[in-house]
């Protein structure tokens, strides 16, 4: 049995991971910014009598992270697994997204995870035991307009994770990167509206692509199951693309030159629809 602390566990991948690990017999500390959002998780925990403790943790705040991790350590003695899942979206063109929004996305998706990592690794290093699972995205390896803020935060998180994995190897602490494709989570309903007078077509095209992709939704429990396998296994594999769209999308990007990717951004709507149908087999409505 492992003691696992999960961030962003009120919904989506975080909730699914908390439930999946708890069903596997692991003790879970499911954290979230606002405990008012714990209703769905608590219903499952209560119905199934799962070993889950819900706790407040705001990854944007040093004191909140240190307090939550400190309480978890005092109660349990150790944290064996950290799942860095808390994150926010950040779509929109570079011109139209305020600089402050770029900072917000980087604060949560990168610095928030870094805070949690720094809070748990001293204990893991000293015990020479632990597993850190960082949830990035295929957007952490593919920069596609209009995701500059989001992709930048995930690329940074991927780089941090790769360096961390090298550092922690000597102390027998595993680091794994989860790269979900399109997964049916609430994040897709939290996007900011596209300005009506925007000269950029990329946001509405992305929305149309996600809408088409989600006609056959992939459950976040697919990600939770992959994380359970990592926690219960002993593999030192670093990256795990997860979901039916993840590997095909990464292969698609690898098949394109940088210049071809740039040219995609200049397509007309009709050219874009033809490309999506040809490359992904999806019908988008623009």
């Amino acid at each position: 049995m492992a003691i696992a602390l999960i961030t962003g566990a009120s919904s989506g991948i975080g909730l699914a991971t908390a439930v999946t690990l708890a069903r596997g017999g692991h003790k879970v500390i499911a954290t979230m910014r606002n405990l008012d959002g714990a209703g769905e998780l608590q219903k499952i925990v209560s119905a199934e009598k799962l070993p889950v403790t819900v706790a407040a943790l705001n990854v944007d705040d040093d004191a909140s992270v240190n307090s939550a991790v400190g309480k978890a350590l005092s109660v349990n003695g150790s944290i064996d697994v950290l799942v860095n899942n808390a994150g926010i979206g950040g779509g929109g063109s570079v011109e139209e997204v305020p600089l402050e929004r770029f900072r917000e996305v980087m604060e949560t998706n990168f610095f928030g995870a870094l805070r949690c990592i720094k809070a748990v690794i001293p204990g893991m290093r000293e015990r020479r035991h632990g597993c850190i699972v960082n949830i990035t995205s295929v957007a952490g390896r593919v920069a596609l307009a209009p995701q500059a803020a989001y992709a930048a935060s995930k690329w940074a998180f991927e780089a941090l994770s790769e360096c961390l994995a090298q550092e922690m190897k000597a102390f027998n602490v595993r680091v794994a990167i989860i790269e979900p494709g399109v997964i049916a989570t609430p994040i897709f309903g939290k996007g900011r509206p596209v300005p009506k007078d925007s000269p950029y077509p990329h946001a509405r095209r992305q929305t149309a692509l996600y809408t088409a992709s989600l006609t056959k939704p992939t459950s976040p429990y697919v990600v939770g199951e992959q994380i359970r396998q990592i926690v219960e296994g002993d593999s030192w594999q670093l990256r795990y693309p997860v979901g039916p769209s993840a590997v095909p999308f990464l292969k698609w990007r690898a098949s394109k030159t940088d210049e071809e990717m740039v040219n995609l951004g200049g397509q007309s709507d009709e050219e874009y629809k033809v490309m999506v149908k040809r490359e992904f087999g999806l019908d988008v409505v623009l």
Side-chain angles (χ1 to χ4, degrees):
M1 180 198 78
I3 300 168
L5 187 148
I6 303 169
T7 67
S10 62
S11 64
I13 291 172
L15 184 152
T17 301
V19 171
T20 301
L21 288 180
R23 284 173 176 167
H26 304 287
K27 187 173 183 179
V28 174
I29 302 134
T31 74
M32 57 201 69
R33 186 192 304 257
N34 186 350
L35 292 180
D36 291 340
E40 182 181 354
L41 175 60
Q42 287 178 326
K43 286 180 182 177
I44 298 171
V45 169
S46 178
E48 300 184 28
K49 296 180 171 54
L50 297 176
V52 175
T53 301
V54 176
L57 188 158
N58 178 0
V59 300
D60 292 353
D61 183 79
D62 290 346
S64 178
V65 170
N66 291 334
S67 174
V69 171
K71 288 178 182 177
L73 289 172
S74 66
V75 170
N76 300 286
S78 66
I79 294 173
D80 303 308
V81 178
L82 169 66
V83 180
N84 275 310
N85 167 72
I88 58 176
S93 71
V94 172
E95 179 182 352
E96 294 168 318
V97 173
L99 188 60
E100 184 55 37
R101 181 59 177 171
F102 274 85
R103 290 195 175 101
E104 289 173 358
V105 174
M106 190 63 74
E107 187 65 55
T108 298
N109 294 0
F110 177 75
F111 287 109
L114 178 57
R115 281 187 186 89
C116 295
I117 289 168
K118 290 177 74 66
V120 303
I121 56 175
M124 291 183 176
R125 173 180 52 76
E126 290 169 2
R127 288 182 291 111
R128 300 182 67 85
H129 172 76
C131 179
I132 297 172
V133 180
N134 292 334
I135 299 176
T136 63
S137 167
V138 290
R141 292 170 64 187
V142 180
L144 196 65
Q147 290 186 304
Y150 184 75
S153 71
K154 294 299 187 179
W155 280 56
F157 195 16
E158 289 252 342
L160 167 65
S161 301
E162 192 162 338
C163 290
L164 180 68
Q166 296 168 35
E167 294 170 1
M168 300 310 294
K169 174 67 175 179
F171 304 101
N172 196 44
V173 175
R174 295 183 295 137
V175 176
I177 303 172
I178 301 290
E179 299 169 331
V182 179
I183 306 293
T185 73
I187 195 171
F188 292 107
K190 297 178 181 179
R192 299 190 176 190
V194 180
K196 292 183 179 180
D197 58 349
S198 174
Y200 297 96
H202 309 96
R204 57 184 173 80
R205 290 177 183 174
Q206 182 187 59
T207 299
L209 180 61
Y210 285 151
T211 299
S213 298
L214 289 168
T215 57
K216 295 180 180 178
T218 299
S219 169
Y221 281 86
V222 171
V223 184
E225 177 59 25
Q226 177 63 81
I227 293 172
R228 184 190 66 79
Q229 291 177 20
I230 292 169
V231 169
E232 295 179 356
D234 58 5
S235 174
W236 288 87
Q237 179 176 326
L238 180 62
R239 287 185 167 87
Y240 295 81
V242 181
S245 65
V247 170
F249 188 60
L250 293 173
K251 287 182 176 178
W252 171 77
R253 175 58 183 95
S255 73
K256 305 292 182 185
T257 66
D258 293 341
E259 292 70 30
E260 286 174 324
M261 292 299 296
V262 171
N263 288 337
L264 291 178
Q267 290 178 324
S268 67
D269 281 352
E270 286 304 312
E271 289 171 330
Y272 179 79
K273 288 194 286 187
V274 170
M275 183 274 293
V276 171
K277 181 66 173 180
R278 181 184 68 247
E279 302 282 357
F280 303 109
L282 298 173
D283 294 306
V284 295
V285 179
L286 297 172

